Amino acid sequence: MRGPLGPVIGKYPSSSDSNGEMGSGNNDIIKHNRKCRDLVFLVIFIAFWIAMIVNSSFAFNQGNPLRLNYGLDYKGNVCGDRHGDRDLRELELRYWSNPNQVYETGVKNSKFQLSNARSICLMDCPIPSEDSLNWVCDYPEGDIRISLDDWIDRNYDYFADLTPELRNTSLQLQGPCYPVIFPSVNVYWTCQFIARASNVSLTHWEQMGGVKVIEDIAIDKSIHKSVNSRSSVLKRYVADVGKAWPVLLVCGGLLPLFLSIIWLLMIRHFVAGMPWVTVIVFNILMVSVTMFYYLKAGWIGNDAISPIIGEHDPYYRVSAREVNHLHAAAFFMTVLMIVAFLSSIAIVRRILMATSVLKVAAKVIGEVQALIIFPIIPYAMLAIFYMFWLSAALHLFSSGSVLQNDCGANCCAYNLKEKRLSCNSCCGYSIHYTSHIAAAILFHLFGCYWATQFFMACSSTVVAGSVASYYWARGATSPEIPFLPVFASMKRLARYSLGSVALGSLIVSSVESVRFILEALRRKLKHVNSMPGSWIGKVMYQTSQGCQRLIGCIIKSVNHNAYIMIAITGKGFVKSSEIATELIMSNILRIGKVNVIGDVILFLGKLCVSLTSALFAFLMLDTHKYKSSHNKITSPLFPVLVCWGFGYIVATLFFGVVEMSIDTIILSFCQDSDEHQGTAQYAPPLLIETLNDENEMQRLMQ
């Protein structure tokens, strides 16, 4: 058991007060002799940043974000890439030239994969002619002496210029030209065949002596299966985030910054009405965002997303995982909306308590006004980090080596450059991933979470130090505290406590990462029916899940209060956690009553900011720019979620001023009261007026 906290809070001896009594030694309350703490973890954090830079350098060197949306052609070039074997910047669509190869990939038990079928990059999906036979020929080279632009202007067709020998190989579906017999439609920059051959084109093909072209539904399903695979959908989601960077900048960065500052100013000047405004606005925003999910999922209105890009037959429909995911998101938002409405009703009677709690923070912000604008500093640092991190993430998810497959297929294709029929290298190209790329992605994700927690912890510690300086100076500006408490607190953090903050943020990040991994394993085991079958096993499993969540919440709470004690005492993270925990346990009723309802209102305020970000993201993504072929967003789901997340992080930075002010004042007040027989000696008059008012305290203690 530790002794009284007087030696660390409020009673630091000075050279003029060797007995430790309050008086002339008060100038050492916050600015007492400190030393650097938890240096090992600061070194680990610096090493982590170096590793992040190295990891990102690998991503920028190996990745190509165009691979997330566009496929590869028969030469291994990425469609739409200007830096390949030839300039394909205008040719973004992947088209499979040989319909029989596509059919073969859809045959049951066939070993021939779609990635090995001959594909080419085009500007638009070719359609069969109504009175003749159209062709799609390979890129012009060798004896075909026309430019790429002329080839595009001729609709990719130079069959009439071929020699009789090359015409014969083309009729054998061996190139360099292939017939357009099946209509196709642009589905996520891939020309998906419609298994309904053109009678006119098929008749012309047969009259010319072409080999039999198989007409079967498998030609449609094979391409659809590839486009709709989990890996393809994930890549498109990541690409959506990259394309929507202006939306992220406005709705995930600038808008929540503006809203958070407005909210703080309103707390400062209109604290009595803010809890009511927050609850009402929160419910309105929940309904609005849910309705947008309904719109995009196609449950109401006619604005549902479509996997088909450009004009197409309105009677032809294509299913997509993105639509199913929006259905799930709309259902989930409906449940959240109902829970939010019922929860709002439940807390209406306690709104007055929240008002009295927020008055504490409002008075502190009014006295230390630099707290309103201080979060802009960590906000700017996080903004720079996120721009770097997102760019590296796009390259990391698209990294890998483009290699020709070893398919062992018995196929032949005419090579215009070599001027011969080649049967040894007809296999297609694929992007090959290695295990170290998966490890690099996981490290990158963990790095983002740790860095976010670190910056937020630094912000919390600075705010706690500023508020503690204000409290222990009896709420008045005097020579006993620095002229600018915020900058003095930043200086103390940078000089002494960065290692402690790195340790605290690492613990939270590690616990959450372990929970994420365990949840992923749970889902994987669920798919293979390895979950416990008996009711005892299910109860134990659900209990373990609840314990994991509880441990995570406890660790976050301990960290939160540990940062306060780090700012006040200058102790290391472990010692500060111990002090904070004992202080909380000895005053659990007083702190708990104050914190719960206040934290609920602050949480709703954060959700208001983040929901507004999500709502405006929906509106921006609904413009023509993000519905056109080049910049089309396959689904608003990921960009909206990212804006929602960024909005919540920004709101947490600014709302943390209120949250940390309340918690720091309450912890300091409890300790002050404990050490002075229930009468706080250091609490400034404005705070005593609120905290010691008999009616207010009775309400808080209920």
Side-chain angles (χ1 to χ4, degrees):
M1 294 294 293
R2 62 167 179 82
L5 279 181
V8 290
I9 301 179
K11 292 185 179 179
Y12 294 108
S14 68
S15 57
S16 60
D17 191 356
S18 59
N19 294 324
E21 297 295 332
M22 292 180 300
S24 61
N26 289 346
N27 61 341
D28 284 329
I29 290 170
I30 297 297
K31 298 189 300 176
H32 62 93
N33 294 328
R34 299 189 177 212
K35 62 179 180 180
C36 295
R37 306 284 185 177
D38 301 317
L39 280 176
V40 173
F41 294 95
L42 179 58
V43 173
I44 292 175
F45 186 71
I46 295 173
F48 149 77
W49 269 100
I50 295 174
M52 280 285 289
I53 294 173
V54 173
N55 194 50
S56 300
S57 299
F58 163 79
F60 288 122
N61 184 50
Q62 297 291 326
N64 182 359
L66 290 175
R67 298 174 184 171
L68 298 172
N69 270 334
Y70 307 129
L72 304 176
D73 64 7
Y74 66 91
K75 289 179 173 290
N77 300 311
V78 180
C79 294
D81 190 2
R82 68 180 66 183
H83 302 298
D85 180 63
R86 56 182 67 238
D87 188 351
L88 303 177
R89 74 182 73 184
E90 296 180 347
L91 307 175
E92 298 178 342
L93 307 187
R94 187 184 191 185
Y95 175 76
W96 278 273
S97 307
N98 191 330
N100 280 358
Q101 286 185 340
V102 176
Y103 165 77
E104 186 179 350
T105 63
V107 175
K108 189 176 181 180
N109 298 325
S110 173
K111 296 182 179 180
F112 191 73
Q113 298 180 355
L114 187 63
S115 60
N116 292 316
R118 194 171 186 83
S119 61
I120 193 171
C121 300
L122 305 179
M123 187 178 293
D124 45 25
C125 294
I127 57 175
S129 174
E130 296 180 354
D131 54 8
S132 61
L133 179 63
N134 290 340
W135 300 81
V136 171
C137 303
D138 292 344
Y139 303 128
E141 56 184 348
D143 291 337
I144 307 300
R145 304 184 184 280
I146 60 174
S147 66
L148 193 66
D149 290 337
D150 291 338
W151 174 71
I152 295 173
D153 293 338
R154 296 171 64 167
N155 291 323
Y156 328 110
D157 183 359
Y158 50 75
F159 180 80
D161 299 337
L162 296 180
T163 62
E165 177 188 359
L166 295 185
R167 290 189 181 188
N168 183 58
T169 57
S170 297
L171 292 173
Q172 301 300 315
L173 290 180
Q174 295 176 344
C177 293
Y178 299 85
V180 180
I181 295 176
F182 294 94
S184 58
V185 63
N186 180 359
V187 178
Y188 295 139
W189 302 278
T190 296
C191 293
Q192 179 171 321
F193 286 137
I194 301 175
R196 186 175 63 246
S198 167
N199 292 329
V200 174
S201 298
L202 192 58
T203 300
H204 276 83
W205 172 256
E206 292 173 348
Q207 290 175 350
M208 295 176 68
V211 298
K212 180 177 177 58
V213 173
I214 303 173
E215 184 179 1
D216 191 273
I217 191 66
I219 198 173
D220 185 331
K221 290 184 176 180
S222 180
I223 298 177
H224 180 263
K225 182 179 179 181
S226 173
V227 172
N228 225 26
S229 66
R230 286 189 176 91
S231 61
S232 297
V233 173
L234 177 60
K235 289 179 181 179
R236 290 197 294 270
Y237 278 150
V238 175
D240 286 346
V241 175
K243 289 182 179 181
W245 68 264
V247 179
L248 303 186
L249 181 63
V250 174
C251 300
L254 300 179
L255 180 62
L257 171 65
F258 173 76
L259 293 176
S260 298
I261 294 177
I262 292 297
W263 197 89
L264 282 182
L265 291 175
M266 293 184 70
I267 280 288
R268 170 70 182 92
H269 298 286
F270 308 104
V271 63
M274 281 307 295
W276 297 99
V277 172
T278 300
V279 173
I280 294 172
V281 172
F282 168 68
N283 283 277
I284 294 174
L285 288 171
M286 282 295 296
V287 174
S288 302
V289 173
T290 303
M291 291 302 103
F292 264 101
Y293 274 108
Y294 281 11
L295 281 170
K296 295 305 176 181
W299 290 357
I300 59 175
N302 299 309
D303 198 25
I305 66 169
S306 172
I308 302 177
I309 301 174
E311 298 181 357
H312 62 281
D313 185 348
Y315 296 101
Y316 182 73
R317 298 183 181 276
V318 179
S319 62
R321 286 182 183 269
E322 284 88 344
V323 178
N324 297 334
H325 293 165
L326 277 175
H327 288 166
F331 175 78
F332 181 68
M333 285 299 301
T334 303
V335 175
L336 285 182
M337 180 177 65
I338 296 172
V339 172
F341 181 73
L342 295 177
S343 301
S344 299
I345 295 176
I347 67 171
V348 163
R349 295 181 61 184
R350 296 182 175 269
I351 292 295
L352 291 178
M353 183 188 296
T355 301
S356 64
V357 171
L358 291 176
K359 282 181 179 179
V360 177
K363 292 182 178 183
V364 175
I365 294 174
E367 295 295 323
V368 190
Q369 297 185 11
L371 288 175
I372 296 179
I373 62 173
F374 158 72
I376 293 178
I377 297 175
Y379 165 85
M381 293 180 178
L382 271 177
I384 295 172
F385 169 75
Y386 282 141
M387 286 188 286
F388 164 79
W389 186 89
L390 281 174
S391 179
L394 289 173
H395 286 80
L396 196 56
F397 273 91
S398 61
S399 59
S401 302
V402 177
L403 301 174
Q404 189 168 24
N405 301 327
D406 184 14
C407 61
N410 183 20
C411 62
C412 298
Y414 193 87
N415 190 315
L416 286 172
K417 193 172 184 178
E418 298 179 0
K419 300 180 182 180
R420 66 181 181 87
L421 192 66
S422 174
C423 298
N424 298 324
S425 59
C426 67
C427 298
Y429 288 80
S430 297
I431 301 174
H432 290 257
Y433 302 96
T434 58
S435 57
H436 77 271
I437 294 179
I441 292 175
L442 291 176
F443 177 79
H444 199 65
L445 294 173
F446 174 79
C448 177
Y449 193 67
W450 188 10
T452 301
Q453 290 294 324
F454 177 82
F455 284 116
M456 293 175 69
C458 288
S459 178
S460 298
T461 306
V462 170
V463 172
S466 304
V467 175
S469 297
Y470 162 79
Y471 180 91
W472 293 105
R474 305 179 188 273
T477 302
S478 71
E480 295 176 1
I481 63 171
F483 177 72
L484 294 175
V486 173
F487 291 103
S489 183
M490 291 173 59
K491 181 180 178 181
R492 291 194 297 270
L493 169 69
R495 187 172 180 181
Y496 302 112
S497 302
L498 283 179
S500 300
V501 171
L503 173 57
S505 56
L506 175 60
I507 292 175
V508 173
S509 304
S510 300
V511 171
E512 292 298 319
S513 299
V514 170
R515 281 183 55 195
F516 175 80
I517 294 173
L518 291 177
E519 181 65 16
L521 290 175
R522 181 191 72 83
R523 293 180 181 275
K524 190 172 182 180
L525 291 174
K526 184 177 181 180
H527 287 300
V528 297
N529 297 321
S530 298
M531 298 294 292
S534 65
W535 68 271
I536 297 178
K538 292 181 179 179
V539 169
M540 292 179 63
Y541 170 75
Q542 295 297 335
T543 302
S544 66
Q545 290 291 304
C547 289
Q548 287 183 20
R549 295 188 181 95
L550 180 60
I551 292 172
C553 292
I554 291 174
I555 289 178
K556 286 185 178 180
S557 177
V558 171
N559 273 21
H560 179 82
N561 291 285
Y563 296 143
I564 296 175
M565 303 313 297
I566 288 172
I568 296 175
T569 68
K571 299 292 184 181
F573 176 81
V574 175
K575 185 63 177 178
S576 296
S577 301
E578 177 187 347
I579 296 173
T581 302
E582 292 191 29
L583 187 58
I584 291 171
M585 294 304 296
S586 62
N587 297 273
I588 187 65
L589 294 179
R590 183 180 295 181
I591 294 177
K593 294 291 184 179
V594 171
N595 278 1
V596 172
I597 190 63
D599 286 348
V600 169
I601 296 300
L602 290 173
F603 177 66
L604 293 183
K606 296 174 190 177
L607 288 180
C608 284
V609 173
S610 57
L611 284 170
T612 305
S613 298
L615 185 62
F616 275 82
F618 268 121
L619 293 173
M620 287 190 67
L621 292 172
D622 206 34
T623 58
H624 176 72
K625 176 181 179 180
Y626 298 107
K627 292 184 176 181
S628 61
S629 59
H630 180 73
N631 293 313
K632 178 180 172 65
I633 298 297
T634 61
S635 170
L637 184 60
F638 256 46
V640 167
L641 288 178
V642 172
C643 288
W644 193 338
F646 282 171
Y648 188 84
I649 291 172
V650 173
T652 300
L653 283 176
F654 283 85
F655 286 39
V657 171
V658 179
E659 192 172 5
M660 293 300 291
S661 295
I662 293 173
D663 293 344
T664 304
I665 286 291
I666 295 304
L667 277 176
S668 300
F669 180 82
C670 290
Q671 177 57 34
D672 199 4
S673 298
D674 288 348
E675 296 215 356
H676 301 104
Q677 292 76 45
T679 302
Q681 297 294 320
Y682 282 91
L686 291 176
L687 295 174
I688 294 177
E689 180 183 341
T690 300
L691 292 174
N692 281 351
D693 182 86
E694 183 176 354
N695 294 330
E696 292 287 336
M697 290 304 293
Q698 285 179 354
R699 188 180 294 115
L700 292 176
M701 295 293 289
Q702 287 177 353

